[in-house]
Amino acid sequence: MTAIEVSNLTKKFGNLTAVDKVSFTVEKGEIFAFLGPNGAGKSTTIKMLTTMLSPTSGEMKVGGHVVSENKSSVRERIGVIFQDYSLDDDLTAYENLYYHAMLYRVPKSERKEKIESLLKYVNLLDRKDDLVGKFSGGMKRRVEIARGLLHSPEILFLDEPTIGLDVQTRNFLWEHIRKINREKDMTIFFTTHNMEEAEKIATKIAVIDKGRIIITGTSKEIMKRTKTKSLESAFLRLTGYDIREENVSALERLRNVRRMRR
Ligand SMILES: Nc1ncnc2c1ncn2[C@@H]1O[C@H](COP(=O)(O)OP(=O)(O)OP(=O)(O)O)[C@@H](O)[C@H]1O
Ligand SMILES: [Mg+2]
């Protein structure tokens, strides 16, 4: 069965085509890595798949539903961990999760137990009544991970989930993701800049660059086709060795700000 079906998906922001006629499929139960340099179009694709952003053109089916026609059915079936911070700093960890449970219609009788078991899983149960605004970056990420799993989604989207996590939490997260993938046949769609992580975890990989998919396959297939010995070498061969212009201009902006402050 197919969990995600994307055909000719395109997103334009003014003159910029962030996602350019992208097509791919993710089978149910797959752990799919969506890789690409900064600004390649990964987060934009995830936002469209998770109903947060409307595409300019193209079709998407998620969990058997056409996204444009049935947003609420799609939302019920997915969990999302966004790249950008999305917790409410003025609420406690417990309240952040409770609010989400209400939004996603987790039955009232199950909420407390589910929230507490997930907070226990991310090792934050003893901090459940503290404001998340006072948490460290890694602790905040762990709350977001717990929130993504709260309504037992069929498909879990994770946009750079391990950013800012220490090695222990990162390993723990992937072990858990693998476990629920195995036991519940949950489909996983994730992005990362850590090629070792992708090589280890993913059952299928797609590489996107400048809005276009440039290769799809298992990490072994991709290494074979690029005649390389690691996914990182394959990735560099496919996407080039230069820093993206976008990053250079971001650096330039930062320099200007610094200059102005002097
Ligand atoms: N709301 C927006 N308005 C205008 N341009 C946008 C918007 N969101 C994204 N973009 C642009 O679309 C392109 C793709 O951005 P996107 O966030 O999808 O990249 P990404 O692959 O997730 O990169 P990263 O690895 O840095 O997270 C970039 O050029 C970005 O500047
Ligand atoms: Mg991104």
Side-chain angles (χ1 to χ4, degrees):
M1 216 183 102
T2 308
I4 304 170
E5 238 179 298
V6 173
S7 160
N8 281 317
L9 185 65
T10 299
K11 180 69 192 182
K12 292 186 181 172
F13 296 110
N15 290 332
L16 176 92
T17 307
V19 176
D20 194 3
K21 298 198 193 81
V22 158
S23 301
F24 61 84
T25 54
V26 180
E27 296 305 319
K28 187 167 163 47
E30 202 147 50
I31 303 184
F32 186 86
F34 199 45
L35 308 179
N38 288 143
K42 303 179 297 295
S43 297
T44 305
T45 303
I46 289 188
K47 283 179 195 158
M48 291 191 280
L49 286 168
T50 57
T51 79
M52 306 302 291
L53 192 68
S54 302
T56 306
S57 57
E59 276 95 55
M60 296 173 285
K61 249 185 172 179
V62 172
H65 294 274
V66 176
V67 178
S68 60
E69 289 168 8
N70 218 335
K71 290 201 175 74
S72 58
S73 299
V74 170
R75 280 189 205 130
E76 278 166 25
R77 285 169 174 75
I78 61 171
V80 197
I81 296 164
F82 291 107
Q83 181 175 5
D84 297 326
Y85 182 61
S86 61
L87 296 172
D88 190 332
D89 276 346
D90 299 325
L91 297 179
T92 66
Y94 187 89
E95 286 164 349
N96 263 287
L97 295 190
Y98 196 87
Y99 181 63
H100 185 84
M102 278 180 355
L103 274 183
Y104 282 84
R105 299 196 204 107
V106 175
K108 203 169 179 185
S109 57
E110 295 172 19
R111 284 178 203 162
K112 186 168 183 284
E113 198 193 321
K114 271 202 151 161
I115 293 171
E116 290 189 348
S117 80
L118 280 164
L119 283 174
K120 187 164 176 233
Y121 152 62
V122 293
N123 217 354
L124 284 172
L125 188 57
D126 55 341
R127 304 291 300 269
K128 76 181 170 73
D129 296 321
D130 292 349
L131 296 181
V132 299
K134 295 194 174 154
F135 283 2
S136 75
M139 287 160 75
K140 288 175 177 168
R141 201 62 177 149
R142 273 144 60 193
V143 177
E144 290 182 312
I145 289 160
R147 188 181 58 181
L149 295 168
L150 195 55
H151 58 288
S152 316
E154 279 171 37
I155 307 169
L156 184 62
F157 291 89
L158 308 114
D159 198 352
E160 297 189 35
T162 51
I163 218 156
L165 293 183
D166 60 33
V167 183
Q168 291 88 337
T169 315
R170 198 167 62 208
N171 291 344
F172 190 63
L173 170 71
W174 285 125
E175 251 169 52
H176 185 75
I177 299 259
R178 267 189 174 147
K179 189 164 170 257
I180 45 178
N181 163 262
R182 229 180 11 245
E183 286 172 2
K184 299 191 172 159
D185 208 21
M186 191 190 287
T187 309
I188 312 290
F189 184 108
F190 76 100
T191 77
T192 181
H193 290 295
N194 183 329
M195 295 299 133
E196 230 173 87
E197 195 168 277
E199 196 176 333
K200 236 187 321 185
I201 308 290
T203 54
K204 191 176 170 188
I205 293 168
V207 179
I208 181 170
D209 192 15
K210 299 184 184 113
R212 294 198 177 160
I213 300 247
I214 48 176
I215 199 165
T216 349
T218 62
S219 63
K220 275 200 182 120
E221 285 163 1
I222 291 176
M223 286 187 266
K224 200 170 166 202
R225 271 155 65 191
T226 51
K227 299 191 175 64
T228 50
K229 289 203 168 68
S230 71
L231 189 61
E232 180 159 325
S233 310
F235 183 82
L236 288 170
R237 190 158 290 181
L238 288 162
T239 58
Y241 294 81
D242 299 330
I243 295 180
R244 298 290 133 162
E245 247 168 53
E246 215 175 50
N247 298 346
V248 177
S249 60
L251 273 176
E252 200 49 48
R253 273 202 304 278
L254 195 65
R255 277 198 203 108
N256 287 338
V257 170
R258 292 224 174 103
R259 250 181 242 133
M260 282 184 324
R261 280 198 190 136
R262 266 186 221 137

